[in-house]
Amino acid sequence: MKARITVTLKNGVLDPQGKAIEHALSGLGFDGVGQVRQGKVFDIELTGTNKAKAEADLKAMCDKLLANTVIENYAVEIA
Amino acid sequence: MKSAVVLLPGLNRDRDMIAALTKISGHAPATVWQTDTEIPDVDLIAIPGGFSFGDYLRCGAIAARMPVMRAVAEKAAKGVTVIGVCNGFQILVEAGLLPGALMRNSSLKFVCRQVKLEIANANTMFTRGYQPGQIIRSPVAHHDGNYFADPETLARLEGEGQVVFRYAEGTNPNGSINDIAGIVNDKGNVLGLMPHPENLIEAAHGGNDGRALFESALGIAA
């Protein structure tokens, strides 16, 4: 089983890296770029086959390590 | 006063911290390694600065989940004094021993310079050797010192006097909210700060503005 976890900054948390990327895209001549927010993606291979257990485990992984829930949200997708 | 210094791979200010504690307390601190599950009977535990685990994932995130940090949390709950400097602050925040988060500097640049700090609360065990509102100098060296907390947490920190150090006179090097440079927990026995007071404790450093912090925490200052 393969899973993808996406970690993004919560709304209201300033993202200076996203801002710098936004300016760089404009500098490259891309018109019409609005706000850019950057984040992280984790691709995780799981050996089990129980999807419900995997989902619970992945959420626990996010809460305990992969995301800092003070400033970040996460989304779990299982392929 | 007995002290201990936490060692983790990637820290690089550990020797500075050990030297400062040795010079100020008169005794060499014990050292505890990341996998240690017990910390000796000490009055003060210091987590030094550096780049534990290469700052992978988030600064301090992996260090905060090592066994030694469970031992630090147990000691902190029993009232032992804990100081985290720079990466040590990031580790304390990631471990949940202090509220909020430390994000990338708003300039996106690593800052290595001297800043001015205001003693925002001189009525803590870490700052009783300073005067209220006193401005001291301190070096900073970090890439992720931009303190953030949600509005409720921030209001609580400000209301309860948990903001202990603030960047003064326009020297905020990282975009930190309310110019916050250092905070204590609600019990007042755990301090985290981004500046490096251990690097300004004697004439050879060009000043001793940081010395009173350690004297206060070690019970040497009045």
Side-chain angles (χ1 to χ4, degrees):
Chain A
M1 215 175 346
K2 286 185 177 176
R4 171 162 286 188
I5 289 169
T6 311
V7 175
T8 50
L9 284 172
K10 286 182 177 175
N11 286 335
V13 175
L14 290 176
D15 180 9
Q17 294 180 83
K19 205 56 149 176
I21 295 163
E22 189 183 310
H23 290 314
L25 288 172
S26 301
L28 286 171
F30 290 104
D31 294 332
V33 174
Q35 184 176 241
V36 176
R37 308 274 287 169
Q38 51 82 46
K40 294 190 187 99
V41 168
F42 302 90
D43 285 326
I44 299 183
E45 290 184 18
L46 298 164
T47 52
T49 53
N50 180 337
K51 202 167 167 178
K53 181 182 182 301
E55 191 159 348
D57 284 350
L58 289 161
K59 284 185 174 165
M61 290 177 205
C62 289
D63 286 326
K64 285 191 175 167
L65 180 65
L66 299 178
N68 178 345
T69 55
V70 174
I71 48 169
E72 293 169 331
N73 292 320
Y74 61 81
V76 174
E77 276 174 78
I78 299 176
Chain B
M1 294 288 273
K2 292 181 192 165
S3 60
V5 173
V6 174
L7 301 181
L8 293 144
L11 293 184
N12 62 3
R13 301 291 188 116
D14 44 323
R15 291 206 295 184
D16 296 8
M17 184 64 79
I18 290 167
L21 287 171
T22 305
K23 286 176 179 176
I24 296 169
S25 75
H27 306 281
T31 53
V32 284
W33 182 235
Q34 53 167 344
T35 48
D36 289 347
T37 53
E38 284 191 31
I39 295 174
D41 194 14
V42 295
D43 308 292
L44 183 150
I45 300 166
I47 310 175
F51 304 85
S52 58
F53 295 92
D55 281 349
Y56 291 171
L57 187 61
R58 298 177 305 274
C59 297
I62 296 176
R65 282 132 185 110
M66 296 308 291
V68 72
M69 286 309 297
R70 280 200 292 276
V72 171
E74 284 166 18
K75 290 283 188 188
K78 288 179 186 161
V80 173
T81 305
V82 178
I83 297 179
V85 168
C86 198
N87 194 207
F89 185 14
Q90 295 163 339
I91 293 168
L92 288 172
V93 164
E94 279 284 346
L97 290 173
L98 289 172
L102 288 153
M103 305 185 56
R104 182 55 50 94
N105 295 345
S106 58
S107 64
L108 299 177
K109 292 187 172 71
F110 189 95
V111 292
C112 183
R113 65 171 83 125
Q114 185 167 273
V115 297
K116 289 181 177 173
L117 297 177
E118 179 200 338
I119 309 301
N121 183 355
N123 191 25
T124 76
M125 63 184 305
F126 302 99
T127 49
R128 54 194 167 187
Y130 296 106
Q131 298 302 314
Q134 186 179 343
I135 306 291
I136 63 168
R137 297 171 304 148
S138 183
V140 293
H142 59 252
H143 207 165
D144 297 75
N146 184 353
Y147 184 78
F148 175 85
D150 61 65
E152 299 80 48
T153 306
L154 193 62
R156 200 178 67 240
L157 289 173
E158 294 284 2
E160 300 293 323
Q162 288 176 248
V163 177
V164 177
F165 297 103
R166 238 186 264 280
Y167 301 110
E169 299 175 10
T171 61
N172 184 339
N174 54 39
S176 172
I177 198 161
N178 290 14
D179 295 327
I180 289 173
I183 57 168
V184 288
N185 64 344
D186 50 4
K187 280 171 62 184
N189 67 317
V190 178
L191 168 76
L193 75 167
M194 288 312 297
H196 286 280
E198 78 279 17
N199 290 147
L200 205 62
I201 62 149
E202 59 190 355
H205 290 160
N208 64 355
D209 297 36
R211 193 176 181 99
L213 191 161
F214 294 98
E215 289 175 342
S216 301
L218 288 161
I220 298 168

